[in-house]
Amino acid sequence: MSASSEEVLLVVKKVRQKKQDGTLYLMAERIAWGPDGKDRFTVSHLYADIRCQKISPDGKAKIQLQLVLHTGESTTFHFASESNALRDRDATKELLQQLLPKFKKKANKELEEKNRMLQEDPVLFQLYKDLVVSQVISAEEFWANRLSMNTLDHPLSGSKQEVGISAAFLADIRPQTDGCNGLRYNLTADIIESIFRTYPAVKQKYAENVPHNLTEKEFWTRFFQSHYFHRDRISTGLQDLFSECAKQDEKGLKTMVVQGVKNPLVNLLSLEDKSLDEGYGAAVAPSTSNTNKVKENSNSAIIKRFNHHSAMVLAAGLRKQDADQASETSSVDGNSRDSDYFKPPIKKVKLQEAIEYEDLERENRQKTVTLNLKKSDRYFHGPVPVQSQNYTTSQDIINSVNYIQQEMANYKPSLIQVISSSSASSAIAALSPGGVLMHAGVQQAINQMVPLDVQAELKHLYMAAGELLRHFWSCFPVNTPFLEEKLVKMRSNLERFQLTKLCPFQEKVQHQHLSINLTGHLEEMLQMAYNKFHAWQNRHMLRKT
Amino acid sequence: MKLNIEGLLVYFPYDYIYPEQYSYMLELKRTLDAKGHGVLEMPSGTGKTISLLSLIVAYQRAFPLEVTKLIYCSRTVPEIEKVVEELRKLMEFYAKETGEESSFLALALSSRKNLCVHPEVSSLRFGKEVDGKCHSLTASYIRAQRHSNPSVPTCHFYEGFDALGRQVPIPSGIYNLDDLKAFGRSKGWCPYYLARYSILHANIVVYSYHYLLDPKIADLVSKELAKKSVVVFDEAHNIDNVCIDSMSVNITRRTLDRSQANMETLQSTIQKIKETDAAKLKEEYSRLVEGLKEANVARETDVYLSNPVLPDEILQEAVPGSIRTAEHFVGFMKRFLEYLKSRLRIQHVVQESAPQFLKDIFEKVCIDRKPLRFCAERLRSLLRTLEIADIADFSPITLISNFATLVSTYSRGFTIIIEPFEDKTPTIANPVLHFSCMDPSIAIKPVFERFQSVIITSGTLSPLDIYPRILDFRPVTMASFTMTLARTCLCPLIVGRGNDQVAISSKFETREDFAVIRNYGNLLLELSAIVPDGIVAFFTSYVYMENIVASWYEQGILENIQRNKLIFIETPDAAETSMALEKYQEACENGRGAILLSVARGKVSEGIDFVHHYGRAVVMFGVPYVYTQSRILKARLEYLRDQFQIRENDFLTFDAMRHAAQCVGRAIRGKTDYGLMVFADKRYARADKRGKLPRWIQEHISDGSLNLTIDETVQLSKHFLRQMAQPFRREDQLGLSLLTLDQLQSEEMLERIAQIAHQV
């Protein structure tokens, strides 16, 4: 392993590790250390393996840097250069700071995910044991469409929960005077992210202007100078970069207000039942001419700003879910009836909540969970194939009822044509319990006859077979060479499954002298797959020749 | 459970009961037995409504001839709907226990805006627009026009109701507003008129105060309600203000200008009609000569103009000759308008009584008292004769005519104040004539006289004895109930000083003091760090809140608070505030926690509950005195002193304290709930203030918590919150503050229950 083959980003000399002097190399994908005078690295970590780095506090005599790995191990480097140990360490730290996050995201995410799925889902785990551990199919095949399926099902389950935004993030950028008529704002990556998430308008401005019009520094300088940031200052009327943002915010606030509130109990507009007409009442209604001026003053601007800021911070935390919901609703937009349909229940639920006294009620009362339907139609009707239906009109029904009534009224039993009494009684005997035709009725329930362990095994077999068959059938229609290959492989998998799993089970069942055929259905399913495969193979051969 | 309240079988739809509920029902029963009025104060969130309903329904069933109807008045629409839902619960319990479908009919009545199902009309946003549009589709003459001209649009829901709705009574059951709408839709009947018709034979009616207290509406809606009804005013702590509002009129120059325009329109319409259909006017004239009250048939839709004075004050005579013809009346009104205009052209404030005003008007423009009294009646007749479609346009002239009728009818209890400008802006001329009612008993008097039992109840009615005095009635029971608690789930604290020992108070001299504002800020900051979920803070006025928020912002206090919780602030705009409220609840719900800054006497403090985690602490910054410099208030205080011997200061303190109690009481609902109540003003420690708080709050204020510093407050709050956070099980409550039927029947318990009610 020579360093020359890789791109070396940083070389730091006089670094001690385990009391040995050596040199530290930071390369594109890994960090490595070799003792002085030797040609090989004794320590080498991929960045992806590193969980975090730690540094010794500033005052300490030893200037150290520690790397903690995902496995829990750690490696400590001691920067021993007398003159510029601190500088070396900081340079290393800075570089690592930039490099580590890039690799972090990739690290073993998939494996973790698989592990998590297996732990969370015992059925899947059993399947995994049945199929992969016993080498019916390979692990890759097993996971091939599991993972993608899973990510489709729960897009959120895999992603990390996002950290919310501190409401006071703007307070954290308290300016400090630098002593010579200037102000210093402390801006960290976190705060910038908070600003972007809370105020999308600023993010947009940033995307528009940085870096082609302004440098990043200029952008933020302007931001802090803007009226937008200092909402309490009276607008100077200067057209700055952010006046547009302010307008957008205003608009956003307005739409929020216009949209109104969902919970009718907090809607102040509909609180009053019958307001007094204009001109009545003891309290003087504020004359409109004056309030306008008052409205413009800075105090109410601050109040508005706080309401808006809080709403935005709150919304930023929920935005992700919102986006999902928005896509859902937009897909349902076709029938807005749905939203109407669910409107009264919100009110009902809130009212019920409001009149509930939990301690007066008996405890065993069941809390019901409301059904959350995205499309109520589906629930009520199920997927109905679209077809030109021939409706039975109510007239038809009435007619047929009339017809039947008529028939019944005119019904005359023809007593000559009935069967003889002897054959009738034999038929009754045959249909009574114990009779010839009633053997099926006395049959014991199958779950009482089969021992539990066999049942469990059968269940596993079914699951495994189901999984394999799913793989098998998912290959159709076979339109790529890859699928062809897979199909052939799956067929052999099925056969192997039958040989290694199904047959031993059958034998076991026979040993226990169980009369019923437990595996008939399984075999049938397999046979079906084989038939399909043969049919396909024949056709395939024909086409080839 | 089934209770035995002094021999009355009461079905109570829960398995457990609070002792105070039992006690409350006892008092209520005694009031009904005596056929008298009652004032009952019961802590908020102890199930007042269900106790009321259970007992009165049981009473109605037991003595159907004694009590025929329950009229339940509440204040807000959600409140009304809650009552109906509780009633539904009760009725379901009845059905389950007795196994028979009850024949009870109960319904909620609200304005057209909440009940209309007409697709076009109901989409309008404001109540007034809905009323106007409805009127233009359903007025009797419009419907008459339709007979000759089928293209005139009418409302088919009303037509449907008119054709069939009156013959078949609405099936018995419980109808909330939405139920009424659904029923109306399914039948094709107008739910609003159906409800208005059905309240006549319903067993229980739930609607808002105005339908009983505002004579303009009461005359139309509630006139024919049976005398043997029980009337309940829930949340009645502000009832005097509702009464006063419904009788007061303000006239600005703009009103006069618009009335002028109205008169022009009327005049030209009269001219037109004269040319085309003179007979109509003649007919009206002869009708007025004969003094015929117009027949009451098919006129329920012409509701828009009703007499502003109370029924017993309306004269049973013919309209006097001087205003009988349409032109004369228009001339008369014009003269009256000119007079009012001249009165508004003043440079200094004028205050006079109604007789003085009448004398002046007679001397200056020779307008007599008698025709003035008939103004409202005469205008109503004229507008109907002229078949004015859009009645909303004529609201200014209606206002003027109502004022004329009121001022000439009542010689006592009212005052006229003419202000040339607002106090804040003495340079801008904006003359207003306030015709202000000072005596709430005027509006409520007919209610007390007409119905056999009137119950006034609320969570905060202290001191109880003041209500019978200002409303001028004699109650048979006055009781205040305490809250039995297994754990002290409310923690009232009076903060009098900051950590720097500076007294904190919102009194006028110190309210702008920097130290006070900073201490208020520190208090909120400290609390925001220790209180979970939601905190609600109330200020004494909107202007004060604005100032404080601005200086907190400058001092960086708000930013520090934001580290702990999100901040939402009430604004004068109701829609904006609604949004802030919803976001506030959302933030409490998802665990972030939030602070709502709000205003006492504002909409939030009056109508929104902050139960459970929505309000773990309520902070009352300052004592919410009403703005004392207002002349109307001064006149009212004077009147109260002269007529009822209530001292000005007593009334002001009473008014401030009921609002403070109302604010802090919003946080507690039920015994599983808990909340801090922080009174941040040293004046609360004084006996005259503290003594006016409701008993159920007062009794938890220990002498040790009277003049706390912020640090001490935080210590006590921490302790309280830690205790409250412990699991609270039913067993802890049972037998103390929560009873089973068996426990309720024990002698010892009944003795204890007897102590809960404090008779005044």
Side-chain angles (χ1 to χ4, degrees):
Chain A
M1 261 197 217
S2 70
S4 57
S5 63
E6 291 171 80
E7 189 194 353
V8 178
L9 301 173
L10 185 72
V11 180
V12 187
K13 289 196 172 140
K14 289 196 183 159
V15 177
R16 310 182 75 180
Q17 206 259 331
K18 288 195 178 149
K19 302 205 170 153
Q20 242 182 322
D21 280 324
T23 312
L24 187 69
Y25 297 87
L26 272 82
M27 279 157 293
E29 292 199 327
R30 62 187 180 127
I31 184 169
W33 179 86
D36 281 344
K38 289 203 179 132
D39 203 17
R40 47 188 293 271
F41 300 131
T42 48
V43 178
S44 165
H45 298 304
L46 290 174
Y47 292 133
D49 292 336
I50 299 172
R51 189 198 292 155
C52 63
Q53 58 166 336
K54 292 177 182 169
I55 55 169
S56 54
D58 275 348
K60 272 261 178 104
K62 274 187 180 178
I63 295 169
Q64 290 180 319
L65 184 137
Q66 189 183 40
L67 299 176
V68 184
L69 306 187
H70 284 299
T71 51
E73 294 168 35
S74 63
T75 315
T76 312
F77 300 107
H78 175 203
F79 293 81
S81 158
E82 279 131 35
S83 52
N84 44 16
L86 197 63
R87 216 192 55 213
D88 283 348
R89 202 266 316 266
D90 286 348
T92 318
K93 187 196 77 179
E94 296 267 312
L95 191 59
L96 274 176
Q97 217 165 33
Q98 289 169 22
L99 288 169
L100 285 181
K102 286 184 199 162
F103 290 91
K104 216 174 216 165
K105 281 171 191 152
K106 271 198 259 171
N108 285 339
K109 210 158 192 186
E110 227 174 71
L111 204 64
E112 268 174 37
E113 175 75 354
K114 286 177 188 170
N115 223 337
R116 190 185 59 79
M117 280 171 69
L118 285 182
Q119 271 168 6
E120 280 177 4
D121 190 351
V123 180
L124 194 72
F125 186 54
Q126 181 63 37
L127 208 60
Y128 188 80
K129 274 203 297 199
D130 284 349
L131 296 178
V132 180
V133 179
S134 59
Q135 300 196 329
V136 176
I137 57 173
S138 70
E140 283 89 72
E141 273 176 312
F142 181 79
W143 288 115
N145 52 8
R146 278 283 154 195
L147 274 178
S148 62
M149 210 168 69
N150 197 279
T151 45
L152 272 181
D153 276 356
H154 329 269
L156 283 178
S157 64
S159 65
K160 247 185 8 184
Q161 190 179 11
E162 281 206 41
V163 181
I165 296 170
S166 157
F169 68 82
L170 286 177
D172 293 333
I173 14 179
R174 282 261 93 175
Q176 294 157 345
T177 45
D178 59 1
C180 48
N181 259 350
L183 284 175
R184 258 178 76 102
Y185 286 92
N186 291 322
L187 206 56
T188 65
D190 277 349
I191 293 178
I192 291 179
E193 205 205 321
S194 297
I195 293 176
F196 282 165
R197 274 171 65 189
T198 320
Y199 296 106
V202 176
K203 187 174 185 178
Q204 203 192 334
K205 280 276 159 223
Y206 181 86
E208 279 169 17
N209 291 307
V210 180
H212 26 282
N213 287 344
L214 302 165
T215 66
E216 195 168 346
K217 194 176 168 193
E218 275 173 342
F219 179 84
W220 290 116
T221 314
R222 288 210 191 174
F223 178 74
F224 289 124
Q225 286 167 349
S226 70
H227 164 64
Y228 184 63
F229 179 63
H230 301 280
R231 199 64 68 79
D232 56 323
R233 294 184 192 162
I234 299 298
S235 172
T236 44
L238 278 176
Q239 277 298 314
D240 68 23
L241 195 59
F242 297 96
S243 56
E244 213 173 292
C245 297
K247 266 181 214 150
Q248 264 182 33
D249 281 359
E250 195 89 337
K251 225 198 261 166
L253 196 66
K254 266 209 187 105
T255 49
M256 270 199 269
V257 168
V258 169
Q259 269 172 8
V261 290
K262 287 188 213 110
N263 181 354
L265 296 192
V266 299
N267 191 352
L268 295 171
L269 288 173
S270 64
L271 217 54
E272 287 276 314
D273 184 24
K274 188 105 191 174
S275 55
L276 290 164
D277 286 337
E278 197 183 334
Y280 298 95
V284 195
S287 54
T288 41
S289 58
N290 277 356
T291 41
N292 263 343
K293 259 182 229 154
V294 179
K295 241 182 191 163
E296 293 306 314
N297 77 13
S298 63
N299 288 358
S300 58
I302 294 176
I303 286 179
K304 261 204 171 135
R305 181 188 172 177
F306 270 104
N307 277 341
H308 183 248
H309 177 78
S310 300
M312 290 305 267
V313 168
L314 197 61
L318 304 170
R319 197 156 286 148
K320 205 163 173 140
Q321 292 155 19
D322 274 359
D324 284 354
Q325 268 169 13
S327 66
E328 266 161 26
T329 43
S330 65
S331 67
V332 191
D333 252 3
N335 46 353
S336 58
R337 203 173 57 90
D338 253 31
S339 58
D340 282 353
Y341 195 83
F342 287 110
K343 208 175 167 195
I346 291 183
K347 190 172 169 184
K348 265 237 143 85
V349 168
K350 291 281 173 198
L351 276 179
Q352 286 301 333
E353 261 173 34
I355 65 163
E356 189 181 82
Y357 285 92
E358 53 183 12
D359 49 348
L360 288 181
E361 310 240 9
R362 209 184 277 280
E363 264 162 279
N364 53 18
R365 187 176 45 113
Q366 282 196 335
K367 276 260 177 194
T368 49
V369 177
T370 46
L371 197 57
N372 186 7
L373 295 178
K374 284 169 191 162
K375 264 191 175 175
S376 54
D377 280 7
R378 277 196 199 153
Y379 177 72
F380 290 127
H381 308 302
V384 182
V386 184
Q387 57 186 15
S388 56
Q389 289 150 314
N390 37 358
Y391 286 106
T392 18
T393 62
S394 52
Q395 193 55 46
D396 287 343
I397 294 171
I398 293 166
N399 284 347
S400 50
V401 168
N402 285 341
Y403 182 72
I404 291 169
Q405 267 175 346
Q406 221 167 12
E407 286 281 286
M408 291 308 290
N410 298 337
Y411 172 72
K412 282 207 186 70
S414 54
L415 293 170
I416 314 134
Q417 285 177 353
V418 293
I419 51 171
S420 67
S421 59
S422 58
S423 47
S425 61
S426 73
I428 288 172
L431 284 169
S432 309
V436 187
L437 294 172
M438 292 305 284
H439 277 308
V442 289
Q443 203 173 47
Q444 257 178 306
I446 201 156
N447 59 356
Q448 287 168 357
M449 286 167 59
V450 183
L452 280 177
D453 58 325
V454 179
Q455 278 183 44
E457 205 173 331
L458 185 65
K459 223 184 272 172
H460 289 152
L461 276 178
Y462 257 103
M463 251 166 351
E467 178 69 16
L468 284 175
L469 286 166
R470 196 171 61 77
H471 279 281
F472 176 83
W473 288 108
S474 69
C475 296
F476 289 99
V478 191
N479 41 20
T480 61
F482 170 73
L483 279 179
E484 262 174 46
E485 199 182 312
K486 185 175 177 189
L487 186 62
V488 176
K489 206 160 59 191
M490 283 323 296
R491 197 216 153 189
S492 60
N493 282 345
L494 283 176
E495 277 170 348
R496 200 170 337 134
F497 171 77
Q498 197 168 14
L499 271 176
T500 57
K501 294 259 162 176
L502 198 55
C503 293
F505 179 71
Q506 269 169 325
E507 274 162 32
K508 186 178 159 193
V509 171
Q510 270 165 10
H511 277 302
Q512 295 190 350
H513 306 290
L514 289 171
S515 56
I516 8 148
N517 184 5
L518 288 173
T519 53
H521 179 240
L522 273 175
E523 280 165 355
E524 231 170 84
M525 289 201 294
L526 289 175
Q527 196 54 49
M528 194 73 109
Y530 295 152
N531 290 347
K532 177 77 186 171
F533 181 77
H534 286 304
W536 171 79
Q537 209 171 24
N538 288 339
R539 228 168 338 129
H540 194 64
M541 291 307 216
L542 274 177
R543 209 176 304 159
K544 262 189 181 168
T545 55
Chain B
M1 63 168 80
K2 289 179 210 168
L3 302 169
N4 176 0
I5 309 273
E6 290 186 345
L8 180 71
L9 173 67
V10 175
Y11 285 78
F12 189 73
Y14 292 98
D15 300 308
Y16 300 91
I17 188 170
Y18 295 144
E20 51 269 41
Q21 287 181 315
Y22 183 80
S23 174
Y24 187 85
M25 288 197 245
L26 271 180
E27 292 300 325
L28 192 58
K29 161 104 182 353
R30 287 172 192 160
T31 317
L32 296 187
D33 281 342
K35 294 195 174 30
H37 312 314
V39 181
L40 302 171
E41 179 189 60
M42 167 129 127
S44 50
T46 45
K48 191 170 29 180
T49 309
I50 194 65
S51 317
L52 260 169
L53 292 173
S54 303
L55 188 101
I56 297 179
V57 167
Y59 206 91
Q60 258 179 302
R61 285 170 66 100
F63 311 104
L65 296 176
E66 301 290 319
V67 173
T68 52
K69 195 191 286 288
L70 163 63
I71 305 172
Y72 197 110
C73 302
S74 199
R75 285 203 337 197
T76 62
V77 178
E79 216 54 66
I80 289 170
E81 293 190 294
K82 272 191 238 168
V83 173
V84 180
E85 288 308 316
E86 298 217 30
L87 188 61
R88 192 193 307 280
K89 188 164 195 168
L90 177 65
M91 284 308 170
E92 275 164 12
F93 183 70
Y94 263 104
K96 208 177 87 192
E97 290 292 311
T98 58
E100 61 194 45
E101 281 298 311
S102 74
S103 55
F104 247 70
L105 175 63
L107 52 89
L109 175 64
S110 180
S111 57
R112 289 184 180 82
K113 183 175 164 259
N114 295 321
L115 279 174
C116 183
V117 291
H118 190 279
E120 274 171 52
V121 181
S122 59
S123 63
L124 295 170
R125 270 190 77 194
F126 297 102
K128 219 161 131 193
E129 292 172 347
V130 176
D131 288 353
K133 184 85 184 161
C134 179
H135 176 257
S136 72
L137 291 176
T138 57
S140 53
Y141 53 81
I142 299 240
R143 298 179 53 227
Q145 273 174 24
R146 190 179 158 85
H147 284 300
S148 52
N149 178 9
S151 66
V152 174
T154 56
C155 171
H156 66 271
F157 288 104
Y158 181 73
E159 298 302 323
F161 165 72
D162 197 47
L164 297 167
R166 271 180 273 263
Q167 281 90 5
V168 196
I170 182 169
S172 60
I174 314 295
Y175 294 89
N176 213 335
L177 299 178
D178 286 333
D179 304 323
L180 279 171
K181 275 167 137 178
F183 182 77
R185 273 204 193 95
S186 70
K187 290 268 185 188
W189 295 350
C190 173
Y192 174 73
Y193 285 105
L194 179 67
R196 269 200 33 202
Y197 174 74
S198 302
I199 62 170
L200 298 180
H201 58 266
N203 301 88
I204 298 176
V205 180
V206 186
Y207 57 29
S208 83
Y209 283 17
H210 299 284
Y211 289 97
L212 219 47
L213 292 182
D214 189 341
K216 296 184 284 299
I217 313 171
D219 183 38
L220 292 158
V221 179
S222 312
K223 199 152 106 192
E224 288 163 44
L225 295 183
K227 298 207 179 351
K228 286 189 171 177
S229 304
V230 175
V231 178
V232 173
F233 288 106
D234 198 359
E235 307 280 326
H237 44 270
N238 262 347
I239 194 166
D240 52 326
N241 289 336
V242 179
C243 293
I244 283 176
D245 277 348
S246 66
M247 303 286 282
S248 299
V249 174
N250 302 306
I251 297 173
T252 61
R253 191 169 275 167
R254 188 158 162 269
T255 326
L256 291 179
D257 289 344
R258 287 171 61 205
S259 315
Q260 192 85 27
N262 286 162
M263 290 317 290
E264 302 299 331
T265 328
L266 281 182
Q267 197 162 25
S268 61
T269 325
I270 291 171
Q271 272 312 319
K272 225 182 286 163
I273 285 211
K274 228 175 173 183
E275 285 155 16
T276 56
D277 196 1
K280 215 180 228 168
L281 288 174
K282 275 209 190 101
E283 187 199 322
E284 186 203 20
Y285 179 82
S286 57
R287 206 170 54 209
L288 292 174
V289 172
E290 286 160 34
L292 285 183
K293 291 261 143 205
E294 283 131 295
N296 211 11
V297 269
R299 274 212 297 109
E300 59 177 4
T301 50
D302 302 346
V303 293
Y304 49 97
L305 290 183
S306 130
N307 214 313
V309 296
L310 300 155
D312 49 341
E313 310 280 355
I314 296 171
L315 297 180
Q316 303 297 323
E317 320 171 26
V319 174
S322 56
I323 56 171
R324 231 175 265 162
T325 66
E327 288 111 323
H328 289 171
F329 177 62
V330 169
F332 175 86
M333 282 308 279
K334 278 189 167 168
R335 209 148 29 113
F336 185 56
L337 277 177
E338 282 309 318
Y339 172 74
L340 288 178
K341 270 192 187 165
S342 74
R343 290 303 304 267
L344 283 187
R345 249 177 262 126
I346 46 156
Q347 300 302 320
H348 55 93
V349 179
V350 175
Q351 180 173 358
E352 61 188 21
S353 66
Q356 275 173 317
F357 180 84
L358 289 175
K359 188 163 167 255
D360 189 60
I361 197 172
F362 184 71
E363 281 169 2
K364 290 223 174 94
V365 286
C366 293
I367 287 182
D368 219 352
R369 179 166 175 234
K370 199 170 172 203
L372 268 185
R373 289 189 76 172
F374 283 92
C375 264
E377 191 71 26
R378 182 67 190 88
L379 183 70
R380 160 153 62 163
S381 164
L382 182 65
L383 287 178
R384 189 171 308 118
T385 313
L386 298 180
E387 302 186 350
I388 303 289
D390 198 353
I391 207 66
D393 289 351
F394 285 86
S395 59
I397 192 66
T398 317
L399 182 77
I400 300 288
S401 72
N402 281 348
F403 164 66
T405 304
L406 280 170
V407 77
S408 50
T409 306
Y410 297 102
S411 51
R412 281 182 58 242
F414 288 82
T415 188
I416 295 166
I417 297 171
I418 309 174
E419 289 177 321
F421 44 72
E422 279 176 39
D423 283 343
K424 279 177 231 151
T425 51
T427 49
I428 306 166
N430 181 24
V432 186
L433 184 149
H434 302 284
F435 177 66
S436 173
C437 173
M438 295 180 301
D439 189 350
S441 67
I442 293 176
I444 204 168
K445 196 168 144 221
V447 178
F448 283 123
E449 281 176 357
R450 201 165 123 208
F451 299 107
Q452 69 179 34
S453 282
V454 177
I455 312 292
I456 288 182
T457 186
S458 173
T460 49
L461 280 177
S462 294
L464 285 178
D465 56 331
I466 205 162
Y467 284 90
R469 276 159 82 191
I470 57 177
L471 298 179
D472 194 21
F473 72 106
R474 274 178 201 291
V476 293
T477 41
M478 277 204 283
S480 170
F481 302 86
T482 54
M483 200 171 182
T484 54
L485 291 172
R487 57 167 192 180
T488 355
C489 70
L490 47 109
C491 177
L493 300 171
I494 297 173
V495 189
R497 296 165 290 157
N499 289 336
D500 48 6
Q501 302 303 324
V502 176
I504 52 178
S505 165
S506 72
K507 71 175 172 210
F508 189 72
E509 296 81 38
T510 61
R511 58 165 54 184
E512 302 297 333
D513 190 341
F514 208 67
V516 172
I517 295 179
R518 194 187 54 230
N519 277 327
Y520 274 159
N522 284 338
L523 174 64
L524 191 62
L525 175 60
E526 298 278 333
L527 285 177
S528 75
I530 57 161
V531 177
D533 299 322
I535 299 179
V536 191
F538 289 100
F539 293 86
T540 53
S541 75
Y542 191 76
V543 180
Y544 188 49
M545 177 171 84
E546 249 186 17
N547 288 339
I548 286 204
V549 166
S551 47
W552 281 355
Y553 176 74
E554 278 157 24
Q555 295 170 29
I557 291 174
L558 283 181
E559 283 177 346
N560 287 326
I561 292 175
Q562 273 186 321
R563 280 180 217 279
N564 301 323
K565 288 182 192 304
L566 292 173
I567 298 177
F568 293 97
I569 306 172
E570 181 177 354
T571 69
D573 181 289
E576 249 178 73
T577 309
S578 307
M579 194 207 68
L581 254 176
E582 195 181 46
K583 298 279 177 204
Y584 167 80
Q585 293 200 342
E586 206 175 295
C588 294
E589 197 72 60
N590 75 9
R592 252 201 116 103
I595 292 182
L596 182 72
L597 304 182
S598 180
V599 179
R601 297 166 190 277
K603 277 200 164 136
V604 173
S605 70
E606 293 288 326
I608 307 292
D609 286 337
F610 296 98
V611 300
H612 293 292
H613 57 286
Y614 294 138
R616 284 302 180 210
V618 184
V619 189
M620 187 69 236
F621 289 118
V623 184
Y625 277 113
V626 68
Y627 174 61
T628 46
Q629 297 307 302
S630 133
R631 290 192 183 80
I632 301 174
L633 181 74
K634 279 182 178 161
R636 188 175 167 201
L637 289 175
E638 230 165 78
Y639 184 83
L640 284 173
R641 194 188 56 210
D642 296 346
Q643 296 296 318
F644 302 119
Q645 286 78 48
I646 296 170
R647 282 189 307 151
E648 290 163 24
N649 251 335
D650 276 351
F651 182 78
L652 286 175
T653 314
F654 150 75
D655 185 60
M657 293 314 283
R658 70 173 162 182
H659 279 102
Q662 194 53 33
C663 290
V664 296
R666 296 264 142 207
I668 297 279
R669 185 189 163 77
K671 296 177 177 179
T672 52
D673 197 0
Y674 62 91
L676 278 167
M677 298 172 169
V678 181
F679 296 93
D681 193 312
K682 81 172 208 282
R683 289 175 291 173
Y684 282 110
R686 292 189 204 151
D688 67 317
K689 307 275 185 309
R690 198 156 36 104
K692 288 193 169 66
L693 283 173
R695 241 168 53 86
W696 57 277
I697 297 179
Q698 231 184 96
E699 65 186 5
H700 294 291
I701 302 179
S702 61
D703 285 344
S705 58
L706 279 185
N707 190 15
L708 302 167
T709 65
I710 293 173
D711 272 352
E712 287 161 352
T713 311
V714 170
Q715 281 313 314
L716 285 172
S717 310
K718 266 188 185 163
H719 180 71
F720 169 76
L721 290 167
R722 206 175 299 134
Q723 254 183 349
M724 287 300 116
Q726 304 309 314
F728 185 55
R729 285 159 304 144
R730 184 186 303 281
E731 294 76 53
D732 303 334
Q733 278 209 68
L734 216 55
L736 285 169
S737 57
L738 189 70
L739 305 176
T740 60
L741 190 55
D742 294 341
Q743 284 168 331
L744 186 62
Q745 279 157 347
S746 72
E747 283 293 318
E748 181 198 359
M749 187 52 74
L750 290 175
E751 235 166 70
R752 261 173 52 198
I753 286 175
Q755 291 168 3
I756 290 174
H758 273 243
Q759 311 281 350
V760 179

